[in-house]
Amino acid sequence: ICGSGGSGGGSPAPGPTTQYRIAGSGGGSPYARLLIPGSVILAYAATNGGVIDYCVGARVSGGIRVVGADGHTSWFGRNSGNRLIQTPGGIRGSVGIPTASSTNIVFPALDTYAIFPYIASSLNNYIVERVTGGPPQESFQVGGLGVVGKSGSSKFGAGVPQQPVSDQNGRSADCYGEGGGGSWRIYGASTSGGGGGDGGSGYLSLTEILLPN
């Protein structure tokens, strides 16, 4: 299970004295894989009317001239508000900030920390794999050079790679849980705003293994 990745930030149209508007990329969602005995699952379902609820985080669209969107959480199992497994969505990318070509500046990601999955303590003995959601790298500009930072990684992909400044929209994630890339606009090349890349959708796979008696 993993949540959906955060989408990249958008860039407003450059102003008459603005050279760049470089936005931030989105972060990745964490991942968890467990092998849980059937008796544990049945006991849990019995406390919840025989039902086990779940949710898969939907893909989020990139920001259009504005900040991106946080990815959606995926979760499995809920009883009175408590969830057995929860993988938060990736963090959203920041909006493009106007800067002159002579400016040296870094555009910090909105959250530079890895995101961890939540697993109920009763399931700790059944964890097979747990992967953090990668934070996005910072976008930066040094004089006439600008780079949009790599988006956050997930279990399924390394994230949208760094992109040198060009008058384009952000690139959308290709894999589950990846963050989307930020957009960038250059004065003189465009009079319109740009959109950030979409984050990757969430993922959930349930497999029942029947053992011989």
Side-chain angles (χ1 to χ4, degrees), residues 66-151:
V66 294
V67 68
D70 289 335
H72 295 297
T73 296
S74 294
W75 53 265
F76 174 78
R78 180 174 63 179
N79 185 9
S80 301
N82 297 318
R83 295 171 180 173
L84 288 177
I85 308 168
Q86 180 169 300
T87 50
I91 197 72
R92 63 193 182 278
S94 56
V95 67
I97 302 171
T99 63
S101 60
S102 59
T103 304
N104 298 339
I105 191 169
V106 172
F107 306 91
L110 294 184
D111 191 338
T112 57
Y113 296 94
I115 300 175
F116 290 85
Y118 166 79
I119 299 172
S121 58
S122 59
L123 299 182
N124 281 344
N125 292 335
Y126 312 121
I127 297 172
V128 175
E129 187 177 8
R130 186 165 39 182
V131 178
T132 58
Q137 294 179 351
E138 294 174 329
S139 300
F140 65 89
Q141 175 192 321
V142 180
L145 170 67
V147 172
V148 175
K150 185 179 81 68
S151 71

Side-chain angles (χ1 to χ4, degrees), residues 1-7 27-30 55-61 69-75 83 86-92 177 199-203:
I1 183 171
C2 79
S4 60
S7 64
S29 174
C55 176
V56 181
R59 188 178 183 93
V60 294
S61 299
D70 289 335
H72 295 297
T73 296
S74 294
W75 53 265
R83 295 171 180 173
Q86 180 169 300
T87 50
I91 197 72
R92 63 193 182 278
S201 62
Y203 174 88

